[in-house]
Amino acid sequence: MPSNTDFLLAIEGLTVSFDGFKAVDDLTLYLSKGELRVIIGPNGAGKTTVLDLISGKTRATSGSIRYNNTELTTMSEHQIVRAGVGRKFQTPSIYEKLTVFENLEISYPWGRTVLGSLQFRRSEKVVERIYEVAKEIFLDDMLDEQAELLSHGQKQWLEIGMLLVQNPDLVMLDEPVAGMTAKERDATAELLRKIAKERSIVIIEHDMDFVAKIADQVTVLHLGKILKEGSMDEVRNDPEVQEVYLGH
Ligand code: ADP
Ligand code: MG
């Protein structure tokens, strides 16, 4: 068994049972520091549930999730965010009526709530970080734009930016390129590769061409279990994986 300290995230024997149905079943998965891991698998495989378990949204029935050698399964969602785990959901949840700048500002770790962030003084440090992130997510020319006017892809980027402002060591994204144009997908691939230089990333994604562009390692989930783990090529050419995808 690998030693804990080499990994940012060590998931061992993770199981969650919903009324006897095991959505995640004895899952073991290790994520290195600086790794970009993609989880793929047919609908209902348990992918989103894995992120729910890591982020504390769903409680594990058994098993362990260690992050920087800290056990997450007993921590609250809020504590897990504070420990440095950021998670983006499938649908963007930005504040439509606020500007890009304000959305990023609100996400700054000093003021998580709308009220809290209006109360703190805009320090230079915060503004600097917002400009930095805005540039990373290709929105530095749109800081004063109201968020509802952004394209769907730009909204996804903004939400990624709202995570980055918090400086997480682990970023988790659920289908980040869904609904994006080809051009936006390419830009997102570039963005995620850049982010991964300083952080670890777990991405759930369906778009295989996109996965091939970004993944270090791919984990194929099926019926709550790992069907295959390897490079995109290894995974794509695996008969069992092909079977599972054709079967759906
Ligand atoms: P994926 O993201 O791979 O499509 P999910 O993780 O969303 O799959 O779901 C895996 C399975 O677990 C599905 O059969 C789903 O209906 C079930 N499931 C997920 N969350 C719950 C829940 N809170 N209660 C009951 N069943 C759930
Ligand atoms: Mg899902």
Side-chain angles (χ1 to χ4, degrees):
M1 187 144 293
S3 78
N4 301 336
T5 45
D6 301 340
F7 299 103
L8 182 69
L9 191 71
I11 300 175
E12 289 172 345
L14 186 66
T15 299
V16 66
S17 175
F18 298 120
D19 296 325
F21 167 72
K22 288 178 178 170
V24 173
D25 188 1
D26 197 21
L27 180 81
T28 293
L29 188 153
Y30 300 98
L31 187 75
S32 305
K33 291 184 176 141
E35 182 177 346
L36 194 162
R37 174 76 59 102
V38 181
I39 300 177
I40 65 171
N43 272 335
K47 304 181 297 294
T48 297
T49 306
V50 171
L51 297 198
D52 288 346
L53 288 162
I54 297 169
S55 61
K57 185 167 179 265
T58 297
R59 290 274 147 222
T61 306
S62 58
S64 148
I65 304 169
R66 281 188 315 268
Y67 164 78
N68 271 329
N69 288 325
T70 304
E71 182 61 46
L72 296 187
T73 50
T74 51
M75 284 164 63
S76 72
E77 275 186 86
H78 194 71
Q79 288 172 320
I80 292 170
V81 169
R82 266 198 311 226
V85 179
R87 188 251 180 102
K88 183 193 166 315
F89 288 88
Q90 251 166 293
T91 39
S93 54
I94 56 172
Y95 300 93
E96 299 267 340
K97 295 292 173 199
L98 298 184
T99 65
V100 169
F101 184 96
E102 288 164 341
N103 268 281
L104 294 171
E105 184 182 38
I106 267 178
S107 309
Y108 198 82
W110 303 353
R112 284 236 159 64
T113 64
V114 177
L115 204 67
S117 77
L118 292 176
Q119 283 164 351
F120 77 81
R121 281 178 54 228
R122 256 175 214 181
S123 78
E124 244 171 73
K125 194 178 141 213
V126 177
V127 173
E128 211 173 278
R129 179 75 191 130
I130 290 171
Y131 285 166
E132 218 173 71
V133 168
K135 198 163 181 196
E136 258 188 303
I137 58 172
F138 319 111
L139 295 178
D140 46 330
D141 288 338
M142 306 194 78
L143 279 165
D144 296 327
E145 204 73 63
Q146 211 166 312
E148 66 183 350
L149 299 175
L150 300 178
S151 75
H152 175 75
Q154 288 172 327
K155 286 180 184 176
Q156 302 269 35
W157 291 338
L158 177 55
E159 208 186 348
I160 294 173
M162 290 164 77
L163 289 181
L164 293 180
V165 164
Q166 300 172 22
N167 234 336
D169 288 324
L170 174 62
V171 176
M172 305 196 292
L173 307 167
D174 203 343
E175 302 189 20
V177 298
M180 282 190 181
T181 64
K183 217 172 147 188
E184 286 172 338
R185 279 167 201 240
D186 286 346
T188 306
E190 182 198 318
L191 168 64
L192 296 180
R193 292 283 0 161
K194 213 186 314 165
I195 295 172
K197 281 185 188 155
E198 292 167 15
R199 310 160 206 280
S200 302
I201 311 191
V202 177
I203 303 172
I204 293 174
E205 193 44 70
H206 280 302
D207 182 326
M208 293 298 175
D209 293 330
F210 180 76
V211 174
K213 245 176 235 161
I214 58 166
D216 295 323
Q217 287 257 100
V218 179
T219 298
V220 187
L221 213 60
H222 180 47
L223 304 174
K225 287 177 174 296
I226 291 178
L227 182 69
K228 178 89 189 172
E229 211 162 66
S231 70
M232 187 62 205
D233 276 343
E234 283 167 352
V235 159
R236 220 191 317 225
N237 293 319
D238 184 82
E240 266 190 297
V241 173
Q242 289 172 357
E243 170 83 28
V244 160
Y245 273 94
L246 288 176
H248 283 74

